[in-house]
Amino acid sequence: MSTGILYVDDHEIFHECMRQMFTQRNDMQILAIASNGQTAVRLATELRPDVVVMDVRLPGLNGIEATRKILSTQPRARIIGLSGYTDRQTVLAMIKAGARGYVVKDAAFNELIQAIQAVASGKMYLSPGITSVMLEELIAPAHADGAAAGLLLSRREEEVLRLAVDGFSSKDIADHLGLSPKTIETHRSRIMKKLGLKSFADLVKYAVREGLTSA
């Protein structure tokens, strides 16, 4: 089945280029193109695209706020930040808003395709050039209260946590552990509650800090 994409960018010079590039693929298609955040939010609601490729710097409602608005009504939406900005503040703001990926604009088209494929399958994607930006934020000295919280997790919850932060979706984790997706969602909810975390970004930060990733 073809992956439906909402492409959001205020530079119209890229619009036709993207249309032409995606028409050469059978597995993806551009459903619509938006030039600003307000239109992106409206089209995301109307079209329910599989993936939203969102420029970060947009006139009016910027890409970060548009991402928050889309996710407030469509929590399962998969959004990729697209920007020429690679500074720590911009990248982290987009990820913390809920984006599942971030691609720099000077990347090759094939990298954008890789990002869309990863995010559409429930994983995360970061351009190699900005990985260090995220590591600076995620790798922090371990805190005693964090270690204590980790002791509250059962062995099964720890397994779910490791797989989740490695990019596996709830369905993938369920298949891997021989459980139902509903059970995995229950485990994830309990993990967040036990650790006092509010977002997936917080969960990743905790896992990296406590050495609970496969990397």
Side-chain angles (χ1 to χ4, degrees):
M1 185 173 67
S2 179
T3 300
I5 300 163
L6 170 59
Y7 182 77
V8 187
D9 195 318
D10 64 326
H11 295 94
E12 294 189 7
I13 191 172
F14 291 117
H15 293 185
E16 188 58 34
C17 177
M18 282 296 169
R19 285 189 187 279
Q20 292 180 5
M21 295 291 279
F22 278 102
T23 55
Q24 300 175 27
R25 301 190 62 89
N26 296 322
D27 58 339
M28 298 178 185
Q29 63 172 324
I30 296 285
L31 299 180
I33 292 179
S35 298
N36 57 68
Q38 290 93 335
T39 302
V41 173
R42 177 177 60 79
L43 289 175
T45 301
E46 293 175 359
L47 302 176
R48 301 279 175 167
D50 298 302
V51 175
V52 179
V53 178
M54 179 79 72
D55 190 0
V56 176
R57 300 297 175 93
L58 295 168
L61 188 70
N62 64 43
I64 296 167
E65 290 302 321
T67 294
R68 290 197 185 101
K69 283 184 174 292
I70 291 172
L71 290 172
S72 69
T73 58
Q74 301 176 60
R76 294 185 179 276
R78 292 161 179 172
I79 301 174
I80 297 172
L82 180 68
S83 179
Y85 294 89
T86 59
D87 60 283
R88 181 173 179 272
Q89 182 178 4
T90 302
V91 175
L92 292 178
M94 193 64 181
I95 296 300
K96 289 180 178 179
R100 301 286 296 177
Y102 196 102
V103 176
V104 294
K105 277 193 172 181
D106 61 359
F109 179 69
N110 283 342
E111 185 178 330
L112 178 58
I113 295 299
Q114 290 174 18
I116 292 171
Q117 290 172 333
V119 170
S121 65
K123 299 179 181 180
M124 293 190 73
Y125 184 93
L126 297 175
S127 282
I130 62 169
T131 302
S132 60
V133 174
M134 290 301 295
L135 288 176
E136 289 177 5
E137 172 69 11
L138 298 177
I139 299 176
H143 298 289
D145 57 346
L151 296 176
L152 297 174
L153 299 182
S154 67
R155 182 172 298 179
R156 178 65 80 190
E157 288 168 343
E158 189 171 306
E159 285 181 310
V160 172
L161 171 59
R162 289 178 184 274
L163 291 169
V165 298
D166 281 343
F168 290 88
S169 66
S170 292
K171 183 180 184 304
D172 292 335
I173 297 173
D175 292 341
H176 183 77
L177 298 179
L179 301 171
S180 70
K182 184 176 180 180
T183 298
I184 299 302
E185 288 294 340
T186 298
H187 279 309
R188 293 181 69 151
S189 178
R190 287 176 179 170
I191 291 168
M192 299 291 282
K193 185 175 181 179
K194 284 184 177 182
L195 299 179
L197 304 177
K198 296 182 179 180
S199 69
F200 184 79
D202 290 336
L203 186 64
V204 174
K205 183 176 179 179
Y206 170 85
V208 172
R209 190 180 70 214
E210 299 300 325
L212 297 176
T213 66
S214 61

